Coordinates of all heavy atoms in Angstrom, one line a residue:
M1 N 16.9 -10.6 3.9 CA 16.7 -10.2 5.3 C 15.2 -9.9 5.5 O 14.6 -9.2 4.8 CB 17.4 -8.8 5.5 CG 18.7 -9.0 6.4 SD 18.3 -9.4 8.1 CE 18.0 -7.8 8.8
R2 N 14.7 -10.6 6.5 CA 13.3 -10.4 6.9 C 13.1 -9.2 7.7 O 13.8 -9.0 8.7 CB 12.9 -11.7 7.7 CG 11.4 -11.9 7.7 CD 11.2 -13.3 8.3 NE 11.5 -14.4 7.3 CZ 11.2 -15.7 7.6 NH1 10.7 -16.0 8.7 NH2 11.5 -16.5 6.7
D3 N 12.2 -8.3 7.3 CA 11.9 -7.1 8.1 C 11.1 -7.5 9.4 O 10.4 -8.5 9.4 CB 11.1 -6.1 7.3 CG 11.9 -5.5 6.2 OD1 13.1 -5.7 6.2 OD2 11.3 -4.8 5.4
E4 N 11.3 -6.7 10.4 CA 10.6 -7.0 11.7 C 9.1 -6.6 11.6 O 8.8 -5.6 11.1 CB 11.2 -6.2 12.8 CG 11.7 -7.0 14.0 CD 12.3 -6.1 15.0 OE1 11.6 -5.6 15.9 OE2 13.6 -5.9 14.9
L5 N 8.3 -7.5 12.1 CA 6.8 -7.2 12.2 C 6.6 -6.1 13.1 O 7.3 -6.0 14.2 CB 6.0 -8.4 12.6 CG 5.8 -9.5 11.6 CD1 5.1 -10.7 12.3 CD2 5.1 -9.0 10.4
L6 N 5.7 -5.2 12.8 CA 5.4 -4.1 13.8 C 4.4 -4.6 14.9 O 3.6 -5.5 14.6 CB 4.6 -3.0 13.0 CG 5.4 -2.3 11.9 CD1 4.5 -1.3 11.1 CD2 6.6 -1.5 12.5
T7 N 4.6 -4.1 16.1 CA 3.7 -4.5 17.1 C 2.3 -3.8 16.9 O 2.2 -2.8 16.1 CB 4.2 -3.9 18.5 OG1 4.2 -2.5 18.4 CG2 5.6 -4.4 18.8
P8 N 1.2 -4.4 17.4 CA -0.1 -3.8 17.2 C -0.1 -2.4 17.6 O -0.8 -1.6 17.0 CB -1.0 -4.7 18.1 CG -0.3 -6.0 18.2 CD 1.2 -5.7 18.2
E9 N 0.6 -2.0 18.7 CA 0.6 -0.6 19.2 C 1.2 0.3 18.1 O 0.7 1.4 17.8 CB 1.5 -0.5 20.4 CG 0.9 -1.1 21.7 CD 1.0 -2.7 21.7 OE1 1.8 -3.2 20.9 OE2 0.2 -3.3 22.4
R10 N 2.3 -0.2 17.5 CA 3.0 0.6 16.4 C 2.1 0.7 15.2 O 2.1 1.7 14.5 CB 4.3 0.0 16.1 CG 5.2 0.7 15.2 CD 6.1 1.8 16.0 NE 6.9 2.5 15.0 CZ 6.7 3.8 14.7 NH1 5.8 4.5 15.3 NH2 7.5 4.4 13.8
V11 N 1.4 -0.4 14.9 CA 0.5 -0.4 13.7 C -0.6 0.7 14.0 O -0.9 1.5 13.1 CB -0.1 -1.8 13.5 CG1 -1.3 -1.7 12.5 CG2 0.9 -2.8 13.0
A12 N -1.1 0.7 15.2 CA -2.2 1.7 15.5 C -1.6 3.1 15.3 O -2.3 4.0 14.8 CB -2.7 1.5 16.9
E13 N -0.4 3.3 15.8 CA 0.2 4.7 15.7 C 0.4 5.1 14.3 O 0.1 6.2 13.8 CB 1.6 4.6 16.3 CG 1.8 5.3 17.6 CD 3.2 5.0 18.2 OE1 4.2 5.2 17.4 OE2 3.3 4.6 19.3
M14 N 1.0 4.1 13.5 CA 1.3 4.5 12.1 C 0.1 4.6 11.3 O 0.1 5.4 10.3 CB 2.3 3.4 11.5 CG 3.6 3.5 12.3 SD 5.0 2.8 11.4 CE 5.1 3.8 10.0
S15 N -0.9 3.8 11.5 CA -2.1 3.9 10.7 C -2.9 5.2 11.0 O -3.6 5.8 10.2 CB -3.0 2.7 10.8 OG -3.5 2.5 12.1
A16 N -2.7 5.7 12.2 CA -3.3 7.0 12.5 C -2.7 8.1 11.7 O -3.4 9.1 11.3 CB -3.1 7.4 14.0
A17 N -1.5 7.9 11.3 CA -0.8 8.9 10.4 C -1.1 8.7 8.9 O -0.7 9.5 8.1 CB 0.7 8.8 10.7
S18 N -1.7 7.6 8.6 CA -2.1 7.3 7.2 C -3.6 6.9 7.2 O -4.0 5.8 7.0 CB -1.3 6.1 6.6 OG 0.0 6.5 6.4
P19 N -4.5 8.0 7.5 CA -5.9 7.7 7.8 C -6.7 7.2 6.6 O -7.8 6.7 6.9 CB -6.4 9.1 8.2 CG -5.4 10.1 7.7 CD -4.1 9.4 7.6
R20 N -6.2 7.3 5.4 CA -7.0 6.8 4.3 C -6.8 5.2 4.1 O -7.5 4.6 3.3 CB -6.6 7.4 3.0 CG -6.6 9.0 3.0 CD -8.0 9.5 3.2 NE -9.0 9.1 2.3 CZ -9.3 9.7 1.2 NH1 -8.8 10.9 0.9 NH2 -10.2 9.3 0.4
W21 N -6.0 4.7 4.9 CA -5.7 3.2 4.8 C -6.4 2.5 6.0 O -6.4 3.0 7.1 CB -4.2 2.9 4.8 CG -3.5 3.4 3.6 CD1 -3.1 4.7 3.4 CD2 -3.2 2.6 2.4 NE1 -2.5 4.7 2.1 CE2 -2.6 3.5 1.5 CE3 -3.4 1.3 2.1 CZ2 -2.2 3.1 0.3 CZ3 -3.0 0.9 0.8 CH2 -2.4 1.8 -0.1
N22 N -7.0 1.4 5.8 CA -7.6 0.6 6.8 C -6.7 -0.7 7.1 O -6.2 -1.3 6.2 CB -9.0 0.0 6.4 CG -9.9 1.2 6.2 OD1 -10.1 2.1 7.0 ND2 -10.6 1.2 5.0
V23 N -6.6 -0.9 8.4 CA -5.9 -2.1 8.8 C -6.9 -3.3 8.8 O -8.0 -3.2 9.2 CB -5.3 -2.0 10.2 CG1 -4.6 -3.3 10.7 CG2 -4.3 -0.8 10.3
S24 N -6.5 -4.4 8.2 CA -7.4 -5.6 8.1 C -7.7 -6.1 9.4 O -6.9 -5.9 10.4 CB -6.8 -6.7 7.2 OG -5.6 -7.1 7.8
D25 N -8.8 -6.9 9.5 CA -9.2 -7.4 10.8 C -8.1 -8.3 11.5 O -8.0 -8.2 12.7 CB -10.4 -8.3 10.7 CG -11.7 -7.4 10.4 OD1 -11.6 -6.2 10.6 OD2 -12.7 -8.0 9.9
D26 N -7.3 -9.0 10.7 CA -6.2 -9.8 11.3 C -5.0 -9.0 11.6 O -4.0 -9.6 12.1 CB -5.9 -11.0 10.4 CG -5.3 -10.7 9.1 OD1 -5.1 -9.5 8.8 OD2 -5.1 -11.6 8.3
G27 N -5.0 -7.7 11.3 CA -3.8 -6.9 11.6 C -2.6 -7.1 10.7 O -1.6 -6.5 10.9
R28 N -2.8 -7.9 9.6 CA -1.6 -8.2 8.8 C -1.5 -7.5 7.5 O -0.6 -7.7 6.7 CB -1.6 -9.7 8.5 CG -1.4 -10.6 9.7 CD -1.3 -12.0 9.4 NE -1.3 -12.8 10.7 CZ -0.1 -13.0 11.3 NH1 1.0 -12.6 10.9 NH2 -0.1 -13.7 12.4
S29 N -2.5 -6.6 7.2 CA -2.4 -5.8 6.0 C -3.1 -4.5 6.0 O -3.9 -4.3 7.0 CB -3.0 -6.7 4.8 OG -4.3 -6.9 5.0
L30 N -2.7 -3.6 5.1 CA -3.4 -2.3 4.9 C -4.2 -2.4 3.6 O -3.8 -3.0 2.7 CB -2.3 -1.2 4.7 CG -1.4 -0.9 5.9 CD1 -0.4 0.2 5.5 CD2 -2.2 -0.4 7.1
Q31 N -5.3 -1.7 3.6 CA -6.1 -1.7 2.5 C -6.6 -0.3 2.2 O -6.9 0.5 3.1 CB -7.4 -2.6 2.6 CG -7.0 -4.0 2.5 CD -8.0 -5.0 3.2 OE1 -8.6 -4.6 4.2 NE2 -8.1 -6.2 2.8
R32 N -6.6 0.1 0.9 CA -7.2 1.3 0.5 C -7.8 1.2 -0.9 O -7.2 0.5 -1.8 CB -6.2 2.5 0.5 CG -6.8 3.8 0.0 CD -5.9 5.0 0.1 NE -6.7 6.1 -0.5 CZ -6.2 7.4 -0.7 NH1 -5.0 7.7 -0.3 NH2 -7.0 8.3 -1.3
T33 N -9.0 1.8 -1.1 CA -9.6 1.8 -2.5 C -9.4 3.2 -3.0 O -9.8 4.2 -2.4 CB -11.1 1.5 -2.4 OG1 -11.2 0.2 -1.9 CG2 -11.7 1.6 -3.8
F34 N -8.7 3.3 -4.2 CA -8.5 4.6 -4.8 C -9.5 4.7 -6.0 O -9.7 3.8 -6.8 CB -7.1 4.7 -5.5 CG -6.0 4.7 -4.5 CD1 -5.4 3.6 -4.0 CD2 -5.4 5.9 -4.1 CE1 -4.4 3.6 -3.0 CE2 -4.4 6.0 -3.1 CZ -3.8 4.8 -2.6
K35 N -10.2 5.9 -6.0 CA -11.2 6.1 -7.1 C -10.7 7.3 -7.9 O -10.4 8.4 -7.3 CB -12.6 6.3 -6.5 CG -13.2 5.0 -6.0 CD -14.6 5.2 -5.5 CE -15.2 4.1 -4.8 NZ -15.4 2.9 -5.6
F36 N -10.7 7.2 -9.2 CA -10.2 8.3 -10.0 C -11.4 8.7 -11.0 O -12.4 8.0 -11.0 CB -9.0 7.8 -10.8 CG -7.8 7.5 -9.9 CD1 -7.6 6.2 -9.5 CD2 -6.9 8.5 -9.5 CE1 -6.5 5.9 -8.6 CE2 -5.9 8.3 -8.6 CZ -5.7 6.9 -8.2
G37 N -11.1 9.7 -11.8 CA -12.1 10.2 -12.7 C -12.2 9.4 -14.0 O -13.2 9.6 -14.7
S38 N -11.2 8.6 -14.3 CA -11.2 7.9 -15.5 C -10.2 6.7 -15.4 O -9.3 6.6 -14.5 CB -10.6 8.8 -16.6 OG -9.3 9.2 -16.4
F39 N -10.3 5.8 -16.4 CA -9.3 4.7 -16.5 C -7.9 5.2 -16.7 O -6.9 4.8 -16.1 CB -9.7 3.8 -17.6 CG -8.6 2.7 -17.8 CD1 -8.5 1.6 -16.9 CD2 -7.8 2.8 -18.9 CE1 -7.5 0.7 -17.1 CE2 -6.8 1.8 -19.1 CZ -6.6 0.8 -18.2
R40 N -7.8 6.3 -17.5 CA -6.5 6.9 -17.8 C -5.8 7.4 -16.6 O -4.6 7.1 -16.3 CB -6.7 8.1 -18.8 CG -5.4 8.8 -19.2 CD -5.8 10.0 -20.1 NE -6.1 9.6 -21.4 CZ -5.2 9.5 -22.4 NH1 -4.0 9.8 -22.2 NH2 -5.6 9.1 -23.6
Q41 N -6.6 8.0 -15.7 CA -6.0 8.5 -14.4 C -5.6 7.3 -13.5 O -4.6 7.4 -12.9 CB -7.0 9.4 -13.7 CG -7.1 10.8 -14.3 CD -8.1 11.6 -13.6 OE1 -9.2 11.1 -13.2 NE2 -7.9 12.9 -13.4
A42 N -6.5 6.3 -13.5 CA -6.2 5.2 -12.6 C -4.9 4.5 -13.1 O -4.1 4.1 -12.3 CB -7.4 4.2 -12.6
F43 N -4.8 4.3 -14.4 CA -3.6 3.6 -14.9 C -2.4 4.5 -14.7 O -1.3 3.9 -14.5 CB -3.8 3.2 -16.3 CG -3.0 2.0 -16.7 CD1 -3.3 0.7 -16.3 CD2 -1.7 2.2 -17.3 CE1 -2.5 -0.3 -16.6 CE2 -0.9 1.2 -17.6 CZ -1.3 -0.1 -17.3
G44 N -2.5 5.8 -14.9 CA -1.4 6.7 -14.6 C -0.9 6.6 -13.2 O 0.3 6.5 -12.9
F45 N -1.8 6.5 -12.3 CA -1.5 6.3 -10.8 C -0.8 4.9 -10.7 O 0.3 4.8 -10.0 CB -2.8 6.3 -10.0 CG -2.6 5.6 -8.7 CD1 -1.9 6.2 -7.6 CD2 -3.2 4.3 -8.5 CE1 -1.8 5.5 -6.4 CE2 -3.0 3.7 -7.3 CZ -2.3 4.3 -6.2
M46 N -1.3 3.9 -11.3 CA -0.7 2.6 -11.2 C 0.8 2.6 -11.7 O 1.7 1.9 -11.2 CB -1.5 1.5 -11.9 CG -2.8 1.3 -11.2 SD -3.9 0.1 -12.0 CE -3.2 -1.5 -11.3
T47 N 1.0 3.3 -12.8 CA 2.3 3.4 -13.4 C 3.3 4.0 -12.4 O 4.4 3.5 -12.2 CB 2.3 4.2 -14.7 OG1 1.4 3.5 -15.6 CG2 3.6 4.2 -15.4
Q48 N 2.9 5.1 -11.8 CA 3.7 5.9 -10.9 C 3.9 5.0 -9.6 O 5.1 4.9 -9.1 CB 3.0 7.1 -10.4 CG 3.7 8.4 -10.9 CD 3.0 9.6 -10.3 OE1 2.0 10.0 -10.8 NE2 3.5 10.2 -9.2
A49 N 2.9 4.4 -9.2 CA 3.0 3.5 -8.0 C 3.9 2.3 -8.2 O 4.7 1.9 -7.3 CB 1.6 3.1 -7.5
A50 N 3.8 1.8 -9.4 CA 4.7 0.6 -9.8 C 6.1 1.0 -9.7 O 7.0 0.2 -9.2 CB 4.3 0.1 -11.1
L51 N 6.5 2.2 -10.2 CA 7.9 2.7 -10.2 C 8.3 2.9 -8.8 O 9.5 2.5 -8.4 CB 8.0 3.9 -11.0 CG 7.7 3.8 -12.5 CD1 7.8 5.1 -13.2 CD2 8.8 2.8 -13.2
A52 N 7.4 3.5 -7.9 CA 7.8 3.6 -6.5 C 8.0 2.3 -5.8 O 9.0 2.1 -5.1 CB 6.7 4.4 -5.8
A53 N 7.1 1.3 -6.2 CA 7.3 0.0 -5.6 C 8.6 -0.7 -6.0 O 9.2 -1.3 -5.1 CB 6.1 -0.9 -6.0
E54 N 9.0 -0.5 -7.2 CA 10.2 -1.1 -7.6 C 11.4 -0.5 -6.9 O 12.3 -1.2 -6.5 CB 10.4 -0.9 -9.2 CG 9.9 -2.0 -10.0 CD 10.6 -3.3 -9.7 OE1 11.7 -3.5 -10.3 OE2 10.1 -4.1 -8.9
K55 N 11.4 0.9 -6.7 CA 12.4 1.6 -6.0 C 12.6 1.1 -4.6 O 13.6 0.9 -4.1 CB 12.1 3.1 -6.0 CG 13.0 3.9 -6.9 CD 12.9 5.3 -6.7 CE 13.3 6.1 -7.9 NZ 12.6 7.4 -8.1
L56 N 11.4 0.8 -4.0 CA 11.4 0.4 -2.6 C 11.6 -1.1 -2.4 O 11.7 -1.6 -1.3 CB 10.0 0.8 -1.9 CG 9.7 2.3 -1.8 CD1 8.3 2.5 -1.5 CD2 10.6 2.9 -0.7
D57 N 11.6 -1.8 -3.6 CA 11.6 -3.3 -3.6 C 10.5 -3.8 -2.6 O 10.7 -4.7 -1.8 CB 13.0 -3.8 -3.1 CG 13.1 -5.3 -3.4 OD1 12.3 -5.8 -4.3 OD2 13.9 -6.0 -2.7
H58 N 9.3 -3.2 -2.8 CA 8.2 -3.6 -2.0 C 6.9 -3.5 -2.9 O 6.7 -2.4 -3.5 CB 8.0 -2.8 -0.8 CG 7.2 -3.4 0.3 ND1 7.5 -4.6 0.9 CD2 6.0 -3.1 0.8 CE1 6.6 -4.9 1.8 NE2 5.7 -4.0 1.7
H59 N 6.1 -4.5 -3.0 CA 5.1 -4.5 -4.1 C 3.7 -4.7 -3.6 O 3.5 -5.5 -2.6 CB 5.5 -5.6 -5.1 CG 6.9 -5.4 -5.7 ND1 8.0 -5.8 -5.1 CD2 7.3 -4.8 -6.8 CE1 9.1 -5.5 -5.8 NE2 8.6 -4.8 -6.9
P60 N 2.8 -4.0 -4.2 CA 1.4 -4.1 -3.8 C 0.7 -5.3 -4.3 O 1.0 -5.9 -5.4 CB 0.8 -2.8 -4.3 CG 1.5 -2.6 -5.6 CD 3.0 -3.1 -5.3
E61 N -0.4 -5.8 -3.6 CA -1.4 -6.6 -4.2 C -2.5 -5.7 -4.6 O -2.9 -4.9 -3.8 CB -1.9 -7.6 -3.2 CG -0.9 -8.6 -2.6 CD -1.5 -9.5 -1.6 OE1 -2.7 -9.7 -1.5 OE2 -0.7 -10.0 -0.8
W62 N -2.9 -5.7 -5.9 CA -3.9 -4.7 -6.3 C -4.7 -5.2 -7.5 O -4.3 -6.2 -8.2 CB -3.2 -3.4 -6.6 CG -2.1 -3.3 -7.6 CD1 -1.6 -4.4 -8.4 CD2 -1.3 -2.2 -8.0 NE1 -0.6 -4.0 -9.2 CE2 -0.3 -2.6 -8.9 CE3 -1.3 -0.9 -7.6 CZ2 0.6 -1.8 -9.5 CZ3 -0.3 0.0 -8.2 CH2 0.6 -0.5 -9.1
S63 N -5.8 -4.5 -7.7 CA -6.6 -4.9 -8.8 C -7.3 -3.6 -9.3 O -7.4 -2.6 -8.5 CB -7.7 -5.9 -8.5 OG -8.6 -5.3 -7.6
N64 N -7.6 -3.5 -10.6 CA -8.1 -2.4 -11.2 C -9.3 -2.7 -12.0 O -9.4 -3.7 -12.8 CB -7.0 -1.8 -12.2 CG -7.6 -0.8 -13.2 OD1 -7.4 -1.1 -14.4 ND2 -8.2 0.2 -12.8
V65 N -10.4 -2.0 -11.8 CA -11.6 -2.0 -12.6 C -11.9 -0.6 -13.1 O -12.2 0.2 -12.2 CB -12.8 -2.7 -11.9 CG1 -14.0 -2.7 -12.8 CG2 -12.5 -4.1 -11.4
Y66 N -11.8 -0.3 -14.3 CA -12.1 1.0 -14.9 C -11.3 2.1 -14.1 O -10.0 2.1 -14.1 CB -13.6 1.3 -14.9 CG -14.3 0.3 -15.7 CD1 -15.4 -0.3 -15.1 CD2 -14.0 0.0 -17.0 CE1 -16.1 -1.3 -15.9 CE2 -14.7 -1.0 -17.7 CZ -15.8 -1.6 -17.2 OH -16.5 -2.5 -17.9
S67 N -12.0 2.9 -13.3 CA -11.3 4.0 -12.7 C -11.0 3.8 -11.2 O -10.7 4.7 -10.4 CB -12.1 5.3 -12.8 OG -13.4 5.1 -12.3
T68 N -11.2 2.5 -10.7 CA -11.0 2.2 -9.3 C -9.8 1.2 -9.2 O -9.6 0.3 -10.0 CB -12.3 1.5 -8.8 OG1 -13.3 2.4 -8.8 CG2 -12.1 1.0 -7.3
V69 N -9.0 1.5 -8.2 CA -7.8 0.6 -7.9 C -7.9 0.2 -6.5 O -7.9 1.1 -5.6 CB -6.5 1.4 -8.2 CG1 -5.3 0.4 -7.9 CG2 -6.4 1.9 -9.6
E70 N -8.0 -1.1 -6.2 CA -8.0 -1.6 -4.9 C -6.6 -2.1 -4.5 O -6.1 -2.9 -5.3 CB -9.0 -2.7 -4.8 CG -10.5 -2.2 -4.7 CD -11.5 -3.3 -4.5 OE1 -11.2 -4.2 -3.7 OE2 -12.6 -3.2 -5.0
V71 N -6.1 -1.7 -3.4 CA -4.8 -2.0 -3.0 C -4.7 -2.7 -1.6 O -5.4 -2.3 -0.7 CB -3.9 -0.8 -2.9 CG1 -2.5 -1.1 -2.5 CG2 -3.9 0.0 -4.3
R72 N -3.9 -3.7 -1.5 CA -3.7 -4.4 -0.2 C -2.1 -4.5 -0.1 O -1.4 -4.8 -1.0 CB -4.2 -5.8 -0.3 CG -4.0 -6.6 1.0 CD -4.8 -7.9 1.0 NE -4.5 -8.7 2.1 CZ -3.5 -9.6 2.2 NH1 -2.8 -9.8 1.2 NH2 -3.3 -10.2 3.4
L73 N -1.7 -4.0 1.1 CA -0.2 -4.0 1.4 C 0.1 -4.9 2.5 O -0.6 -4.8 3.6 CB 0.3 -2.6 1.7 CG 0.0 -1.5 0.6 CD1 0.5 -0.2 1.1 CD2 0.7 -1.9 -0.7
T74 N 1.1 -5.8 2.4 CA 1.5 -6.7 3.4 C 3.0 -7.0 3.1 O 3.4 -6.9 1.9 CB 0.6 -7.9 3.6 OG1 1.0 -8.6 4.8 CG2 0.7 -8.8 2.4
T75 N 3.7 -7.4 4.1 CA 5.1 -7.9 3.8 C 5.1 -9.4 3.8 O 5.0 -10.0 4.9 CB 6.1 -7.3 4.8 OG1 6.0 -5.9 4.8 CG2 7.5 -7.7 4.5
H76 N 5.1 -10.0 2.6 CA 5.0 -11.4 2.5 C 6.1 -12.2 3.2 O 5.9 -13.2 3.9 CB 5.0 -11.8 1.0 CG 3.9 -11.2 0.3 ND1 4.0 -10.0 -0.5 CD2 2.5 -11.5 0.2 CE1 2.8 -9.7 -1.0 NE2 1.9 -10.6 -0.6
D77 N 7.4 -11.6 3.1 CA 8.5 -12.3 3.7 C 8.4 -12.4 5.2 O 9.0 -13.3 5.8 CB 9.8 -11.6 3.3 CG 10.1 -11.6 1.8 OD1 9.5 -12.4 1.1 OD2 10.9 -10.8 1.3
S78 N 7.7 -11.4 5.8 CA 7.6 -11.4 7.3 C 6.2 -11.9 7.8 O 6.1 -12.1 9.0 CB 7.8 -9.9 7.7 OG 9.0 -9.4 7.3
G79 N 5.3 -12.0 6.9 CA 3.9 -12.5 7.3 C 3.1 -11.5 8.0 O 2.2 -11.8 8.8
G80 N 3.3 -10.2 7.6 CA 2.4 -9.2 8.2 C 2.9 -7.8 7.9 O 3.6 -7.6 6.9
L81 N 2.5 -6.9 8.8 CA 2.9 -5.4 8.5 C 4.3 -5.1 9.0 O 4.6 -5.4 10.2 CB 1.8 -4.5 9.1 CG 0.5 -4.5 8.4 CD1 -0.6 -3.7 9.2 CD2 0.7 -3.8 7.0
T82 N 5.0 -4.4 8.2 CA 6.3 -3.8 8.6 C 6.3 -2.4 8.1 O 5.4 -1.9 7.5 CB 7.5 -4.6 7.9 OG1 7.4 -4.3 6.4 CG2 7.4 -6.1 8.1
E83 N 7.4 -1.7 8.5 CA 7.6 -0.3 8.1 C 7.4 -0.1 6.6 O 7.0 0.9 6.1 CB 9.0 0.2 8.5 CG 9.3 0.2 10.0 CD 8.8 1.5 10.7 OE1 8.4 2.5 10.0 OE2 8.8 1.5 11.9
R84 N 7.9 -1.1 5.8 CA 7.9 -1.0 4.4 C 6.4 -0.8 3.8 O 6.3 -0.1 2.8 CB 8.4 -2.3 3.7 CG 9.9 -2.3 3.6 CD 10.2 -3.7 3.1 NE 11.6 -4.0 3.3 CZ 12.5 -3.9 2.4 NH1 12.2 -3.5 1.2 NH2 13.8 -4.2 2.7
D85 N 5.5 -1.4 4.5 CA 4.1 -1.2 4.0 C 3.6 0.2 4.2 O 2.9 0.7 3.3 CB 3.2 -2.2 4.8 CG 3.5 -3.6 4.5 OD1 3.5 -4.0 3.3 OD2 3.9 -4.4 5.5
F86 N 4.0 0.8 5.3 CA 3.6 2.2 5.5 C 4.4 3.1 4.6 O 3.8 4.2 4.1 CB 3.7 2.6 7.0 CG 2.7 1.9 7.8 CD1 2.9 0.7 8.5 CD2 1.4 2.6 8.0 CE1 1.9 0.1 9.2 CE2 0.4 2.0 8.7 CZ 0.6 0.8 9.4
T87 N 5.6 2.8 4.3 CA 6.4 3.6 3.4 C 5.7 3.6 2.0 O 5.6 4.6 1.3 CB 7.8 3.1 3.3 OG1 8.4 3.1 4.6 CG2 8.7 4.0 2.4
L88 N 5.4 2.4 1.5 CA 4.7 2.3 0.2 C 3.3 2.9 0.3 O 2.9 3.6 -0.7 CB 4.6 0.8 -0.2 CG 4.0 0.5 -1.6 CD1 4.7 1.3 -2.7 CD2 3.9 -1.0 -1.9
A89 N 2.6 2.8 1.4 CA 1.3 3.5 1.5 C 1.4 5.0 1.3 O 0.7 5.6 0.5 CB 0.7 3.2 2.9
R90 N 2.5 5.6 1.9 CA 2.7 7.0 1.7 C 3.0 7.4 0.3 O 2.6 8.4 -0.3 CB 3.8 7.5 2.7 CG 3.3 7.6 4.2 CD 4.3 8.3 5.0 NE 5.6 7.7 5.1 CZ 5.9 6.8 6.0 NH1 5.1 6.4 6.9 NH2 7.1 6.2 5.9
A91 N 3.9 6.5 -0.3 CA 4.3 6.8 -1.7 C 3.0 6.7 -2.6 O 2.9 7.5 -3.6 CB 5.3 5.8 -2.2
M92 N 2.1 5.8 -2.3 CA 0.9 5.6 -3.2 C 0.0 6.8 -3.0 O -0.7 7.3 -3.9 CB 0.2 4.3 -2.9 CG 1.1 3.1 -3.4 SD 0.3 1.5 -3.1 CE -0.3 1.2 -4.7
D93 N -0.1 7.3 -1.7 CA -0.9 8.5 -1.5 C -0.4 9.6 -2.3 O -1.2 10.4 -2.9 CB -0.9 8.8 0.0 CG -1.7 7.9 0.9 OD1 -2.5 7.2 0.4 OD2 -1.4 7.9 2.1
K94 N 0.9 9.8 -2.3 CA 1.5 10.8 -3.1 C 1.3 10.7 -4.6 O 0.9 11.7 -5.2 CB 3.0 10.8 -2.8 CG 3.7 12.1 -3.0 CD 5.1 12.1 -2.5 CE 6.0 13.2 -3.1 NZ 7.4 12.9 -3.1
A95 N 1.4 9.5 -5.1 CA 1.1 9.2 -6.5 C -0.3 9.5 -6.9 O -0.6 9.9 -8.0 CB 1.5 7.8 -6.8
A96 N -1.2 9.4 -5.9 CA -2.6 9.6 -6.2 C -2.9 11.1 -6.2 O -4.0 11.5 -6.7 CB -3.5 8.9 -5.2
G97 N -2.0 11.9 -5.6 CA -2.2 13.3 -5.5 C -3.4 13.7 -4.6 O -3.8 12.8 -3.8
G98 N -3.9 14.8 -4.6 CA -5.0 15.2 -3.7 C -4.5 15.3 -2.3 O -3.6 16.0 -1.9
D99 N -5.0 14.4 -1.4 CA -4.7 14.4 0.0 C -3.4 13.6 0.3 O -3.2 12.5 0.2 CB -5.8 13.8 0.8 CG -6.4 12.6 0.2 OD1 -7.0 12.6 -0.9 OD2 -6.3 11.5 0.9
Ligands
LIG101 N1 6.8 -7.1 -1.6 C1 6.0 -7.4 -0.6 N2 4.8 -6.7 -0.5 N3 6.4 -8.2 0.3 C2 7.6 -8.9 0.3 O1 7.9 -9.6 1.2 C3 8.4 -8.6 -0.8 C4 8.0 -7.7 -1.8 N4 9.6 -9.1 -0.9 N5 8.8 -7.4 -2.8 C5 10.6 -8.7 -1.8 C6 10.0 -8.1 -3.0 C7 11.6 -9.8 -2.0 O2 11.0 -10.9 -2.6 C8 12.8 -9.4 -2.7 C9 13.8 -10.5 -2.9 O3 13.4 -8.4 -2.0

């Protein structure tokens, strides 16, 4: 089942509620750079986020260099942003702790 794409108005609303994430210029993805104090913390975050992603059956595009994790969220099956991207964004915020 293909999830419905969010309207630009809904994307604006939802991204206001997830202020650490940036909407890409084309409006089709969310991006956030997570910075940690060490590689161990970054990888711990990735482990937790990976388990959350599996539970949600929604997966990030991401890369890790030392203590930095760059994340891009989009719904490939739908070709843009859906509710699932924001759900995973919130789960990743939670996994990162802090704010
Ligand atoms: N993750 C993301 N980010 N986008 C998708 O479209 C997607 C996914 N599709 N994870 C899921 C898995 C799909 O392939 C399975 C069959 O549900």
